[in-house]
Amino acid sequence: MRILLLGSGGREHALAWKINQSVWANPLYIAPGNPGTARCGKNVSLDITDFDAIKKFCVSEKIEMIVVGPEEPLVKGLYDYFKADEELEKIYFIGPSKKGAQLEGSKAFAKAFMQRHGIPTAAYREFDASNFEEGVHYVKEHSLPVVLKADGLAAGKGVVICQTSVEAVSEFELMIQNEKFGEASRKVVVEEFLDGIELSVFVITDGKNYLLLPEAKDYKRIGEGDKGLNTGGMGAVSPVPFATPGFMYKVEERIIKPTIGGLNKEAIDYKGFLFFGLISVKGEPYVIEYNCRMGDPETEVVMPRLETDLVGLLVAATQQELDTVKLRVDERSAVTVMVVSRGYPSAYEKGFEVTGLDKSDDKDSFIFQAGTKEEDGKVVTNGGRVLCVTAYGRNIEDASEKSLDILDQIDFEGIYYRTDIGYEFKSTLLGNR
Ligand SMILES: Nc1ncnc2c1ncn2[C@@H]1O[C@H](COP(=O)(O)OP(=O)(O)O)[C@@H](O)[C@H]1O
Ligand SMILES: [Mg+2]
C-alpha cells in the first residue's frame, strides 16, 4: 500500500517507525518529515496546509492511504477536500472530517457536544462580543480559580487559569476585545477549575467502533518537579499507574462510548485517532479536552507499546470494521524523555550539530527526532523540541533510567532535558501495574 504521512515532529517519526514495520507499507512517504523519518521512508517537501500540492503528489504517486499527524490540516478541512474530489475520494483517509475536527478546533463545539451526550466535563459558559458584558459579570462572580479558554486553535497557549477575579476579567477582555489569541479568542469558554491528576487516553475509531490504545501521561512543564513554563511536552510515560482497570472502565462507559455514540448519532465522519485529555478528580474521570489526532510526546510511548500492525488497524478503521480486530499491547512500561534547546519554550538558537545519534538504537530503545534537519550530512537542531528517547523497562523507573543512559551519549550545544519524567510513579509497586 502506498502511504503518505503528513507532519514533521517526534509524533510523526514514531508513526513512521511503526507504519514502516508493516508488511503492507510500501512505499511510505513523509511530508515534510525530518532526518529521523527519512530512515523509515522517503521524505517529500510539501506544505501540509497546501491542499492542491498534496493532491498533486497523491495523484502522481498513486497514494492509497493518507495519515494526518497534526491537527491543522484536519481543522482546515483536508478530509472534506479529499472526499469532494473524484481523483482523491477513494484514498483511505486517516483523520476526521472538518466537522469531527471541531472537537479540537473549537472548545465551545466540544463542550456543547459533551453536554448533548452527557459526558462528564467542567461546567462552563461561552461568550463573544455579542454577550461580552454578561461575560464580564459572569467571570467576576465565578468561583476561583477560573479557567478561560480561547475557542479556536492557539498552539497550546490559549488557556489561562486565573487565581483572582481582577486577573480573570482583564484576561477575558484581552481575549475578546483585543483578540489576544487572534481570531481564536473572539469566542471564549469560561469554565470551572477541576482539581485532579491528568492523563491522555487514545482510541482509533471508525466512527462506530473503537479500539482503546495504551494510555499515557505527559509532562508539560519545562522544569523538574513540574515547575516553570508550559511547553509542548517534555516527556511521557505509559502505562499510567492510576489508570487501573476500574478507572478505565469508567472512562470507557462514561466518556469513550458516549463520544463515539455521539459521532455516530450526529453522522459526523470520523475515521482516525481521537485523543481524550482527561482529569481524574478523586478517581472520577472528566474530559478536559479532545484532540483530533495523536498527542506528542505521548505517541512516542504509545506506538512502541502497540504490538498490532498499525496499517492493518488503519485499513480496518477506513472500512468501519474495527469490531473485527483485536489489539495486542506490550506489557512493559515505556518512558520517553524530550530533549530541547536551551531557552525553549522562550527564544532559543538553532543549527547546532547533534552527536551520538548513531550509537543508541537497539531493540529496547529508540531515538525519535523532532526539531532536526540535515545539513552537509550532519543532523543539526532545527526547533525547540529536538528529539526524544524512548525506552522500555520492567516499570517506569527502569524505563526512565534506560532513557537517561542513552541520553548521556547524545549531545549538542545547549542541550536540556528533564531527568524526572515519571517521578511520581517511581519507587512504587504501582509502577509495574
Ligand atoms: N477545567 C479545568 N480545570 C483544571 N485545569 C484545566 C482545566 N481546563 C484546562 N486545564 C489545564 O490547562 C491545560 C490546557 O488546557 P486544554 O483544554 O488541554 O487546552 P490546550 O491543550 O488546547 O491548550 C490542561 O492540560 C490542564 O492542565
Ligand atoms: Mg491540552
Side-chain angles (χ1 to χ4, degrees), residues 197 232 272 282 326 391:
I197 177 160
K282 299 195 178 84
K326 271 223 144 50

Side-chain angles (χ1 to χ4, degrees), residues 104 107 111 121-123 145-161 190-196 198 218 220-221 230 275 277-279 281 287-291 293:
E104 173 164 5
K107 304 257 187 225
K111 295 296 281 192
T121 188
V146 57
V147 183
L148 269 52
K149 298 188 172 185
D151 177 56
L153 292 184
K157 295 188 166 61
V159 173
V160 185
I161 298 172
V190 179
E191 70 179 37
E192 156 201 26
F193 179 82
L194 298 174
D195 195 5
E198 291 176 68
D218 79 331
K220 284 254 177 281
R221 303 298 193 94
N230 255 322
F275 167 135
L278 304 182
I279 189 163
V281 181
V287 179
I288 291 277
E289 67 161 348
Y290 291 114
N291 288 162
R293 35 82 193 176

Side-chain angles (χ1 to χ4, degrees), residues 38 57 83 115 126 136 148 299 323 380 404 432:
F57 181 81
K83 294 302 157 189
Q115 218 161 46
E126 61 179 84
V136 170
L148 269 52
T299 307
D323 53 335
V380 301
L404 294 173
N432 198 2

Side-chain angles (χ1 to χ4, degrees), residues 11-286:
R11 167 182 52 214
E12 285 74 25
H13 189 179
L15 287 169
W17 167 83
K18 183 69 186 162
I19 290 171
N20 185 43
Q21 288 166 29
S22 171
V23 289
W24 293 352
N26 186 28
L28 167 63
Y29 295 100
I30 308 96
N34 65 40
T37 65
R39 297 163 72 168
C40 312
K42 289 182 202 151
N43 285 351
V44 268
S45 150
L46 273 180
D47 171 354
I48 61 169
T49 57
D50 184 345
F51 293 1
D52 293 338
I54 295 171
K55 170 177 174 175
K56 224 170 126 194
F57 181 81
C58 288
V59 171
S60 73
E61 294 307 316
K62 301 189 173 59
I63 294 299
E64 294 161 290
M65 174 188 281
I66 179 165
V67 182
V68 184
E71 62 280 10
E72 198 186 354
L74 296 166
V75 173
K76 290 190 166 149
L78 187 60
Y79 175 92
D80 306 65
Y81 177 93
F82 268 60
K83 294 302 157 189
D85 187 306
E86 49 176 46
E87 286 182 285
L88 303 176
E89 63 175 347
K90 295 229 158 57
I91 296 176
Y92 292 164
F93 194 106
I94 302 302
S97 59
K98 189 172 186 179
K99 185 88 188 281
Q102 286 291 93
L103 285 179
E104 173 164 5
S106 164
K107 304 257 187 225
F109 176 91
K111 295 296 281 192
F113 178 90
M114 286 186 260
Q115 218 161 46
R116 283 198 293 284
H117 301 289
I119 296 163
T121 188
Y124 84 106
R125 289 271 315 265
E126 61 179 84
F127 299 98
D128 58 18
S130 69
N131 57 354
F132 176 76
E133 289 307 327
E134 194 189 343
V136 170
H137 183 75
Y138 183 81
V139 168
K140 226 182 248 167
E141 300 296 311
H142 201 287
S143 60
L144 294 168
V146 57
V147 183
L148 269 52
K149 298 188 172 185
D151 177 56
L153 292 184
K157 295 188 166 61
V159 173
V160 185
I161 298 172
C162 302
Q163 305 295 338
T164 69
S165 298
V166 174
E167 182 195 351
V169 169
S170 112
E171 195 59 46
F172 182 75
E173 287 173 357
L174 282 175
M175 282 191 177
I176 292 185
Q177 290 190 316
N178 302 22
E179 296 190 9
K180 179 175 175 186
F181 300 108
E183 214 179 300
S185 68
R186 273 194 205 156
K187 193 185 272 179
V188 170
V189 165
V190 179
E191 70 179 37
E192 156 201 26
F193 179 82
L194 298 174
D195 195 5
I197 177 160
E198 291 176 68
L199 79 158
S200 308
V201 168
F202 306 91
V203 302
I204 296 182
T205 183
D206 58 18
K208 205 165 89 187
N209 313 288
Y210 69 88
L211 290 170
L212 188 62
L213 294 168
E215 78 285 352
K217 181 177 192 302
D218 79 331
Y219 293 78
K220 284 254 177 281
R221 303 298 193 94
I222 187 75
E224 312 249 315
D226 293 327
K227 303 259 161 41
L229 293 175
N230 255 322
T231 70
M234 295 298 292
V237 305
S238 178
V240 179
F242 67 84
T244 58
F247 180 80
M248 291 308 290
Y249 178 78
K250 293 181 196 170
V251 170
E252 289 204 59
E253 293 302 314
R254 297 177 195 170
I255 293 170
I256 300 178
K257 287 181 185 170
T259 299
I260 306 301
L263 292 173
N264 193 24
K265 261 187 233 151
E266 298 188 21
I268 295 174
D269 280 345
Y270 202 121
K271 298 183 171 74
F273 297 104
L274 178 53
F275 167 135
F276 299 79
L278 304 182
I279 189 163
S280 166
V281 181
K282 299 195 178 84
E284 306 301 323
Y286 291 81

Side-chain angles (χ1 to χ4, degrees), residues 272-386:
F273 297 104
L274 178 53
F275 167 135
F276 299 79
L278 304 182
I279 189 163
S280 166
V281 181
K282 299 195 178 84
E284 306 301 323
Y286 291 81
V287 179
I288 291 277
E289 67 161 348
Y290 291 114
N291 288 162
C292 63
R293 35 82 193 176
M294 289 296 291
D296 191 353
E298 292 99 322
T299 307
E300 291 95 304
V301 289
V302 172
M303 287 302 139
R305 291 195 63 225
L306 180 65
E307 289 177 343
T308 316
D309 181 301
L310 181 60
V311 176
L313 286 178
L314 297 178
V315 170
T318 66
Q319 302 307 296
Q320 222 162 50
E321 285 172 357
L322 281 179
D323 53 335
T324 66
V325 192
K326 271 223 144 50
L327 279 193
R328 284 188 323 275
V329 169
D330 194 317
E331 288 300 312
R332 288 175 292 175
S333 293
V335 169
T336 197
V337 178
M338 185 65 72
V339 176
V340 305
S341 281
R342 180 171 52 223
Y344 174 83
S346 307
Y348 57 84
E349 289 179 64
K350 304 180 194 180
F352 300 116
E353 184 182 354
V354 184
T355 57
L357 289 175
D358 45 331
K359 291 180 196 141
S360 0
D361 260 341
D362 62 40
K363 65 183 193 335
D364 286 330
S365 62
F366 318 101
I367 298 171
F368 294 122
Q369 296 190 34
T372 57
K373 71 173 183 189
E374 201 171 308
E375 226 173 56
D376 310 325
K378 294 175 185 157
V379 174
V380 301
T381 65
N382 191 40
R385 293 199 295 169
V386 175

